Amino acid sequence: MPLSDDQPHTRTRLPVGEQPSVAPRQPKPVRTLLTVLVVVTLLVVAVSVANRGKPDPTGPTTGTGTGSGDGRAAGAAPTTPTGQQPVGTTDNGIANGYPHTDQGAQSAAANYATALGSAEMFQTGSRHTIVDTVADPTVAPQLQQRLDTAFSADNNARFGLDAQGRAPKGLTFVSRTIPVGTKTVNAADTATSVEVWCTGLNGLAGESSTKPVSQDWYTLTLTMRWTGSDWKVTDFERASGPAPVPGDQQAATAQEITDAVQKFGGFRYAR
């Protein structure tokens, strides 16, 4: 019989071992997930703050020698990109105004290598303009004479050009240098030597060409001097290779190469 509100209630207390167990409250899955996400986010932020401002161990200032005092290392630097923007000024179409740093020297070397390996070097007027632009004024006359001797009529004939460096009618002469990487091999405050590993395209593009465009690999070592406002070339030398194993790829037709040379422009290089 049910008890009325005015009837006395009897409460029985069981021994501890016989009391019914109460299941613990289970946390809600959504609340648990939010807690984990908050903890992970806080850890990521903490690691990011702790690493802020630390130098990159693979950056261009690492090396085996003593720094020059302006952020440049005397030893060879890795060639990983730094994210710095290329210089914004040019002289005769060649980038200039590089910073007085190891990165600036390597950027200058890459762009100067491109200019010195261009098709314009095979014609006297444009060659003199290039050398006057990239060379230290104190050695420019000697470099001009040296290159005038190298780009002789006989040398031009090896590439299928006439004595003035002009291609036969209906053909396009190709000479392009593409830097693959740069490495400082000797650095000081006012002088430096940079090796530029390059691949190049050379030959005559066209249906009747007897000297089709081929690929070449070489290393150009540029010795440069800081002139007070820019890096300028004082000497250079070229060595063959290192060349990778040729890929198993079908060569393009003469017309395809001609079209590519005319439609694809070059780059401005920077570390």
Side-chain angles (χ1 to χ4, degrees):
M1 180 176 66
L3 297 175
S4 61
D5 291 339
D6 56 351
Q7 288 179 317
H9 297 271
T10 301
R11 179 177 297 174
T12 303
R13 184 180 298 275
L14 297 175
V16 175
E18 299 180 12
Q19 292 185 12
S21 58
V22 179
R25 170 180 277 178
Q26 297 295 328
K28 295 182 179 180
V30 175
R31 182 176 300 174
T32 301
L33 178 59
L34 290 176
T35 302
V36 173
L37 290 176
V38 169
V39 171
V40 171
T41 302
L42 291 175
L43 287 175
V44 172
V45 173
V47 172
S48 176
V49 172
N51 289 333
R52 184 177 299 170
K54 289 185 179 180
D56 183 359
T58 62
T61 57
T62 59
T64 57
T66 303
S68 65
D70 59 1
R72 296 184 292 120
T79 55
T80 51
T82 64
Q84 292 192 4
Q85 296 297 316
V87 294
T89 56
T90 61
D91 185 12
N92 295 315
I94 302 172
N96 65 353
Y98 300 95
H100 188 196
T101 62
D102 183 55
Q103 291 183 32
Q106 292 188 49
S107 296
N111 285 289
Y112 293 165
T114 302
L116 292 169
S118 65
E120 287 73 23
M121 290 291 292
F122 288 79
Q123 298 186 11
T124 303
S126 54
R127 179 173 64 250
H128 286 183
T129 298
I130 291 172
V131 174
D132 285 340
T133 302
V134 306
D136 185 315
T138 61
V139 299
Q142 292 90 328
L143 289 180
Q144 293 282 21
Q145 183 177 5
R146 173 182 165 187
L147 288 168
D148 285 344
T149 301
F151 287 92
S152 62
D154 290 340
N155 178 76
N156 286 354
R158 290 177 49 241
F159 292 89
L161 307 175
D162 64 16
Q164 287 72 42
R166 295 173 300 198
K169 185 177 180 180
L171 298 179
T172 301
F173 177 58
V174 180
S175 181
R176 283 199 184 187
T177 294
I178 304 97
V180 178
T182 57
K183 179 181 69 174
T184 302
V185 293
N186 186 20
D189 186 57
T190 58
T192 187
S193 292
V194 178
E195 290 183 350
V196 186
W197 183 30
C198 304
T199 183
L201 302 176
N202 291 279
L204 290 171
E207 295 296 338
S208 61
S209 173
T210 58
K211 297 181 181 296
V213 178
S214 61
Q215 187 180 28
D216 187 21
W217 289 86
Y218 59 94
T219 299
L220 190 67
T221 301
L222 296 174
T223 303
M224 297 183 295
R225 179 183 300 152
W226 180 252
T227 63
S229 59
D230 208 351
W231 290 106
K232 294 296 182 180
V233 176
T234 58
D235 197 9
F236 65 91
E237 61 180 7
R238 170 176 165 154
S240 180
V245 176
D248 185 12
Q249 188 173 11
Q250 183 177 355
T253 65
Q255 186 58 49
E256 288 174 336
I257 290 294
T258 302
D259 291 343
V261 170
Q262 295 173 350
K263 293 178 181 179
F264 289 92
F267 295 96
R268 183 175 301 168
Y269 295 89
R271 280 297 310 275

